[in-house]
Each structure stands twice: as C-alpha cells, then as structure tokens.
Amino acid sequence: MIDREIFLKIKKNWRQAARYRIERNEALIRVQELEDQVADLEGEIEELETELRLMSF
C-alpha cells in the first residue's frame, strides 16, 4: 500500500503537471492566433503595396 505522504506528493505533482499542460495549450492557441493575425496583416500589406504601385502609374 502507498504511504499517504507519497500519495499526496504524487497527487500534487500530477495537478501541477496538468496545470502546466493546460497553460501550455493555452499559450500554443494564443501563438496560433497571433500567427494568423500576422498572416492577415501581411496579406493586407501586400494588397496596399499593389494598390500603391498601381496608383504610381
């Protein structure tokens, strides 16, 4: 049988690991959202540069 103290340490470590995984997943989601925003902005910049070139002629 597992000693209660050992069990509590395992339980605490498991909770910390679960919290870390949740925080990591949230961070990865945020990074993906930011990458999507960057891609959208890059597309807008390209469109504006094209319009500017066309207006230059």
Side-chain angles (χ1 to χ4, degrees):
M1 189 166 177
I2 297 178
D3 182 88
R4 179 154 176 78
E5 184 178 330
I6 294 172
F7 171 77
L8 292 175
K9 285 182 181 180
I10 291 169
K11 184 177 176 183
K12 179 183 176 188
N13 289 341
W14 182 85
R15 284 185 178 167
Q16 287 175 339
R19 187 172 22 255
Y20 167 79
R21 285 191 300 275
I22 290 168
E23 290 172 358
R24 182 178 176 273
N25 288 341
E26 289 172 347
L28 290 172
I29 290 168
R30 182 67 180 135
V31 166
Q32 184 61 53
E33 290 171 348
L34 291 171
E35 287 175 344
D36 292 345
Q37 288 178 7
V38 167
D40 290 344
L41 291 171
E42 287 173 339
E44 288 181 36
I45 289 169
E46 288 177 15
E47 289 176 19
L48 291 171
E49 287 175 337
T50 301
E51 287 181 29
L52 186 59
R53 273 190 242 110
L54 292 173
M55 291 193 306
S56 296
F57 290 111

